[in-house]
Amino acid sequence: MSKNPLNDLGESLGEYLRDQRRAARLSLRQLSELAGVSNPYLSQIERGLKRPSAEILQQLAKGLEVSAESLYVRAGILDAEHAAPTGDTPDVRRAIAEDPLLTARQKKTLLDIYESYVEDDARH
C-alpha cells in the first residue's frame, strides 16, 4: 500500500509546489503567510497528504507568483489540453510562469512587461 493516499497526483502537485516555493526562495512559513494558508496545511499539501481546493491553489499561485492554471493542471482540476491555447497562438504567460530557470521576481517582472505591451496594442 502506498504511503501517500493521493498517490502520484498529490505527490507531483506537492513536489511542484515545493520546487516553485524553493525557486522563489520562500520558506514554508513565508508562503503560508503570503497565500493565507496555514503552515501545517501547506506542509501536508507539499507532502501529498492533502488535496487543496481550487481556491487554495489560486491563493498559492498568487503567493508564488505563478499561473493558477498551471496549478489546476497539476492538481487534475483542469485538463492540460483544455488549458492549452487554441491554434498557433503562443501562450506567453504560461511559458513565463512555467520556466524553471526564472525566479518568482523575474517571472513577475516579465509578466508585467508583457501585460503592458498587450494593453498598449489593445488601445491602438
Side-chain angles (χ1 to χ4, degrees):
M1 186 163 141
S2 172
K3 65 179 177 165
N4 180 352
L6 300 179
N7 297 324
D8 293 337
L9 175 64
E11 210 168 284
S12 65
L13 172 64
E15 287 174 5
Y16 180 74
L17 285 170
R18 185 180 308 112
D19 291 345
Q20 292 300 310
R21 178 177 58 77
R22 288 178 177 163
R25 294 190 173 100
L26 294 171
S27 70
L28 199 63
R29 187 171 309 279
Q30 288 170 320
L31 178 56
S32 74
E33 289 173 7
L34 286 171
V37 176
S38 78
N39 191 32
Y41 185 61
L42 180 55
S43 175
Q44 290 174 337
I45 294 169
E46 283 193 0
R47 290 182 289 141
L49 301 175
K50 294 285 185 181
R51 183 185 306 251
S53 67
E55 183 179 325
I56 297 294
L57 289 173
Q58 187 171 14
Q59 290 172 240
L60 291 170
K62 284 182 183 177
L64 290 168
E65 297 178 354
V66 299
S67 154
E69 187 177 85
S70 67
L71 296 184
Y72 295 157
V73 170
R74 292 275 178 167
I77 294 172
L78 185 62
D79 187 9
E81 80 181 49
H82 289 101
T86 57
D88 292 332
T89 308
D91 189 354
V92 175
R93 291 175 192 91
R94 178 188 295 237
I96 292 170
E98 293 182 354
D99 191 324
L101 300 176
L102 297 173
T103 66
R105 177 173 281 180
Q106 290 168 329
K107 289 176 185 182
K108 181 171 179 6
T109 301
L110 285 171
L111 286 169
D112 288 345
I113 292 168
Y114 176 74
E115 293 298 332
S116 74
Y117 281 117
V118 172
E119 288 171 11
D120 284 346
D121 285 348
R123 285 188 219 137
H124 296 298

